Amino acid sequence: MALLGCCLFLILFLLGLAESQSQTFNHPFNRTDIQAAIGDMRAKSYYGFAMLLQMLNGTSQPNNRDLTFLMPDDKELSASSISIDEVEEFLLKHAIPMPLYFNDLSHFPTGTLVPSGNRTQMIRIHNRARGDFFVNNAQIVSANVCLSSVIKCHGVDAIIEYDHGN
Ligand SMILES: *[C@@H]1O[C@H](CO)[C@@H](O)[C@H](O)[C@H]1NC(C)=O
Ligand SMILES: *[C@@H]1O[C@H](CO)[C@@H](O)[C@H](O)[C@H]1NC(C)=O
Ligand SMILES: *[C@@H]1O[C@H](CO)[C@@H](O)[C@H](O)[C@H]1NC(C)=O
């Protein structure tokens, strides 16, 4: 049953992804939405992640408004070494091309794979309860930070890592 649930979700995701792929991640951000999301992030002291988003202003980036960001906090970001030309790749690894409240995420059983902003990399859900919910290696520690626009975001306690071939 859990397996069936997982596969159903995966199929729904892939259908949605196929539909949105052509216009995803090719055009400038919708500034209104992204600025609103950045405001929400700053209000909860996710300054580093907000700054990375600002850095992409004008570069090729998701214009799809259907986005969820998974944000490591400033302490995590400052301990990592992201070079300027890796900012886009870093953000894509910390995004899901769908707007998901934590309540939406919480319906995914452990083992569900959701696409990241990088089509070649999937995020694996570990859902043991609210307060014990992981996206790959990172735990969601601050749910529903972005609420002012269609863009959603949640704070995580680590840089998201991907296994090879994941
Ligand atoms: C950007 O988002 C705002 C608010 O949701 C919307 O009103 C506007 O039409 C969008 N602009 C574009 C270019 O999609
Ligand atoms: C983003 O770029 C546009 C034009 O390239 C500029 O007008 C705007 O001020 C920039 N926004 C930020 C937040 O840097
Ligand atoms: C997607 O991930 C792969 C594997 O890490 C990487 O080689 C590629 O550059 C990434 N693509 C983008 C657009 O970030």
Side-chain angles (χ1 to χ4, degrees), residues 28-34 36 63 65 148-150:
F29 278 128
N30 179 325
R31 296 235 161 74
T32 309
D33 290 327
I34 203 69
N63 86 325
R65 307 159 63 211
S148 319
S149 78
V150 288

Side-chain angles (χ1 to χ4, degrees), residues 27-138:
H27 299 289
F29 278 128
N30 179 325
R31 296 235 161 74
T32 309
D33 290 327
I34 203 69
Q35 289 307 325
I38 286 171
D40 290 338
M41 292 170 187
R42 290 168 52 81
K44 291 280 176 68
S45 300
Y46 284 93
Y47 299 115
F49 201 89
M51 199 179 80
L52 292 177
L53 281 173
Q54 301 272 27
M55 284 170 68
L56 286 190
N57 182 26
T59 68
S60 64
Q61 263 316 292
N63 86 325
N64 196 327
R65 307 159 63 211
D66 301 333
L67 281 172
T68 300
F69 289 110
L70 300 164
M71 311 174 294
D73 66 19
D74 288 359
K75 195 174 170 188
E76 295 295 333
L77 289 175
S78 67
S80 72
S81 51
I82 309 160
S83 71
I84 294 277
D85 55 5
E86 288 168 348
V87 171
E88 176 175 346
E89 185 175 347
F90 180 88
L91 288 173
L92 292 176
K93 283 182 179 173
H94 290 80
I96 300 172
M98 277 159 275
L100 298 170
Y101 288 104
F102 184 77
N103 190 46
D104 301 319
L105 284 167
S106 71
H107 289 116
F108 299 145
T110 292
T112 305
L113 294 173
V114 301
S116 76
N118 181 329
R119 287 167 209 161
T120 68
Q121 296 178 309
M122 302 290 281
I123 293 172
R124 186 182 162 88
I125 302 289
H126 292 260
N127 181 1
R128 293 175 201 100
R130 193 178 176 109
D132 195 0
F133 190 101
F134 284 75
V135 284
N136 285 354
N137 58 301

